[in-house]
């Protein structure tokens, strides 16, 4: 479990955190916050350095797009979905956790 403050997140500027040693990309879209694995499923690029548009994040290396809500790969060259992490919001505190029962 990792905590961060909502106020520290800027719209359209994803950040990289670690949850139990796994790099996680956290993105704020409006009043919502999403967290997915930070490592692109195509190769070894950090998605937190990519571009956000709508609910999508685009990998900076070869341009694959993923849905931040579901982790689903939307465009080639990525085909595998990203792991999605649970996000809890309590006032200004955001808690990111691995989903229970899944790896
Ligand atoms: S490493 Fe992300 S699209 Fe290739």
């Amino acid at each position: 479990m990792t905590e961060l403050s909502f106020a520290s997140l800027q719209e359209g500027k994803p950040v990289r955190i670690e949850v139990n040693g796994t790099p996680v990309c956290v993105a704020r879209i409006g009043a919502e916050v999403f967290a997915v694995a930070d490592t692109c499923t195509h190769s070894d690029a950090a998605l937190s350095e990519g571009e956000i548009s709508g609910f999508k994040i685009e990998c900076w290396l070869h341009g694959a797009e993923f849905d931040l809500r579901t982790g689903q790969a939307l465009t080639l060259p990525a085909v595998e979905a990203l792991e999605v992490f649970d996000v809890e919001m309590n006032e200004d505190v955001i808690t990111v956790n691995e989903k229970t029962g899944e790896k």
Side-chain angles (χ1 to χ4, degrees), residues 8-15 26-28 48 50 52:
S8 70
L9 291 173
Q10 288 176 42
E11 179 88 37
K13 292 230 174 170
V15 298
V26 180
R28 171 181 170 182
S48 54
I52 288 181

Side-chain angles (χ1 to χ4, degrees), residues 48-66:
S48 54
E49 291 169 28
E51 292 279 321
I52 288 181
S53 67
F55 289 99
K56 294 184 295 190
I57 190 160
E58 180 179 338
C59 179
W60 59 272
L61 195 51
H62 310 111
E65 291 180 328
F66 297 89

Side-chain angles (χ1 to χ4, degrees), residues 40 42-45 59 61-64 77:
C40 182
H42 176 239
S43 190
D44 194 15
C59 179
L61 195 51
H62 310 111

Side-chain angles (χ1 to χ4, degrees), residues 31-89:
E32 293 184 279
V33 175
F34 300 93
V36 294
D38 193 41
T39 308
C40 182
T41 57
H42 176 239
S43 190
D44 194 15
L47 290 172
S48 54
E49 291 169 28
E51 292 279 321
I52 288 181
S53 67
F55 289 99
K56 294 184 295 190
I57 190 160
E58 180 179 338
C59 179
W60 59 272
L61 195 51
H62 310 111
E65 291 180 328
F66 297 89
D67 190 316
L68 286 162
R69 299 166 293 188
T70 62
Q72 196 182 354
L74 301 171
T75 59
L76 295 172
V79 289
E80 270 179 59
L82 299 165
E83 184 179 357
V84 177
F85 289 74
D86 267 334
V87 176
E88 278 173 39
M89 289 174 69

